[in-house]
Each structure stands twice: as structure tokens, then as C-alpha cells.
Amino acid sequence: MTGVRHRVTLAVVLLCVCLWGTTDAGVAKERERVVRKPRKPAPTPSAVERSPGAPPIDMSKMWGKWYLLNLASTCPHQLQQGASSEATVINLTPPEQESSPVSVSTKTRFNHDCWEILQKYYPTKTNGRYILKGNSVSEPSTDVIIMELDNAYAFILYHKKGKITAKLYGRSTVNLSEPMLTKFETLAQEKGMSLAYLFPFPTFGHCDSVTKDHVIDCIPTC
């Protein structure tokens, strides 16, 4: 029993470390890229700000279910694990009040099991910008910035400790828009991430249900 408990604890720790990126190479992947060592320095914090002239984000379009389609990152662990990413889906629940945090549920696979990761995005005074707080006073928070949003796609940036992760989410995994994928790649390049930093995610095999012992609170390392 002790051995089983130890393995479960280890799995939770690993899942937190490699949030949205697993090491299970046995599941079919799509459009894998060869991971190359980054050559450019990490963008500065100012690089993640939305453009001054960007239109306001209509957050009413953000609520509900989204599929993770593509990811670009300067986080070393994401770069190592990007080629073995698992199908991932998130669900955002609108807050009861404008000043309340957004509840975020992320479902993904780890070692063939479905896991659910629960997080809270706290609003700021800036439109489209949220804070994912660390687990302690000493743990840095993560800036969550919604760069673009419409009824079908969302571009979101996560910034922590000088590292940036950009994610492309879609309402559907079928008939993916090549112009939208190209636009996301352009956004990533503007933030200092070339094609070597990009990793597509599987469009099948998403988790529907999760057992209660596979639900965790988790903050990404970067």
C-alpha cells in the first residue's frame, strides 16, 4: 500500500512539473516536430504585453470548453516534453462577480490516466489580463494574457520567471484553419519563438471524465 501511495504521489508531482506535457510516447501524435535547442534569449517581461492599440477583449466569448491545438514556449521543460504532448481540453467558468476569479479546469492524460487540474485566474485592472497566483508567498505568480479571442479561437500567453508559453485554443478540433495556425506562428515569432519552439497537440483522445482521486490543484513551473 505504501508503494502504491508513493507512486501516486510521484505521478502528481511529475504532472505538476510538466503541466500539459507528458512523457507517454505510446500514444499517437500529430505533426511532431524535432525539438531543437533554443538560440534566442527569453523575451523580457514587456514582450508579453498586449499591443497598446489592441481592441478590448470580450470575455463573454471565453467561457466554456476549449481544445489546446498548438503551443510555443521558452520554458525548458516544455521544450523537452513538447513532442510527446497529450490531448488537452480546458473549461473556463465565468465568475459570479466581475472582481471574482475565473475557475479553470484542464483535463489531460498522464501515464494513460485522465487527470483534472484546477486553477483560478484572478482579474486585474487590465482588460484581458489575469494572474495565476503561486502556492506560497515566495512562489512567483503567472501572468495570463489573452492576446486574441473570437468565437472559434483564442491566443493566450502565460509569463512566469522570464519564460513565456503561448497557447492556441479552438472550440473544435476539426477543419482547423491554416490561416489561424499561421497567425499563431507569427505571434510566437513576434515573442521571440521560432518554429523550433512550436508543438502541435493531438486532436483526438481527449478525456471526458476523471475520477476524484485524479483531481489536483497545480501551478506550472514556468
Side-chain angles (χ1 to χ4, degrees):
M1 180 62 70
T2 302
V4 173
R5 187 180 297 112
H6 174 74
R7 287 194 295 271
V8 172
T9 302
L10 179 60
V12 172
V13 171
L14 289 173
L15 185 62
C16 284
V17 171
C18 58
L19 185 64
W20 302 308
T22 72
T23 57
D24 181 7
V27 179
K29 307 298 184 295
E30 297 183 0
R31 299 205 309 159
E32 294 185 357
R33 299 184 190 273
V34 176
V35 181
R36 297 189 291 272
K37 185 178 180 180
R39 296 181 179 179
K40 296 183 180 181
T44 59
S46 61
V48 302
E49 300 288 349
R50 295 183 68 234
S51 302
I57 295 294
D58 181 2
M59 286 304 297
S60 65
K61 297 180 180 180
M62 194 71 215
W63 316 133
K65 187 176 182 179
W66 293 88
Y67 296 94
L68 180 55
L69 304 177
N70 213 319
L71 176 150
S73 183
T74 60
C75 178
H77 190 83
Q78 292 281 16
L79 291 171
Q80 293 172 6
Q81 303 298 331
S84 55
S85 301
E86 296 285 2
T88 299
V89 62
I90 67 169
N91 197 299
L92 287 82
T93 303
E96 295 181 358
Q97 299 179 354
E98 191 172 323
S99 59
S100 300
V102 176
S103 297
V104 182
S105 164
T106 301
K107 292 180 180 178
T108 190
R109 294 183 186 275
F110 183 72
N111 286 348
H112 305 289
D113 292 323
C114 285
W115 291 79
E116 182 177 15
I117 303 156
L118 302 179
Q119 297 173 330
K120 296 284 188 182
Y121 290 177
Y122 290 84
T124 68
K125 295 181 180 180
T126 303
N127 172 259
R129 183 171 188 145
Y130 293 80
I131 296 294
L132 175 57
K133 296 181 179 180
N135 288 323
S136 63
V137 177
S138 60
E139 174 72 13
S141 297
T142 303
D143 288 324
V144 181
I145 304 171
I146 301 172
M147 301 296 293
E148 292 196 27
L149 174 65
D150 60 24
N151 293 322
Y153 295 96
F155 295 172
I156 304 181
L157 286 183
Y158 299 82
H159 176 256
K160 182 178 182 180
K161 297 189 295 188
K163 305 299 182 182
I164 291 179
T165 296
K167 296 182 180 181
L168 168 62
Y169 290 98
R171 290 294 190 185
S172 173
T173 60
V174 298
N175 298 324
L176 301 183
S177 168
E178 284 299 329
M180 187 60 65
L181 291 172
T182 301
K183 190 173 184 179
F184 177 72
E185 292 178 353
T186 301
L187 171 67
Q189 291 177 347
E190 290 174 352
K191 304 305 176 184
M193 295 175 285
S194 64
L195 292 179
Y197 294 77
L198 269 69
F199 305 97
F201 272 60
T203 58
F204 56 91
H206 296 86
C207 293
D208 294 320
S209 59
V210 177
T211 59
K212 63 180 181 180
D213 58 335
H214 283 70
V215 178
I216 59 174
D217 296 320
C218 187
I219 305 298
T221 56
C222 63

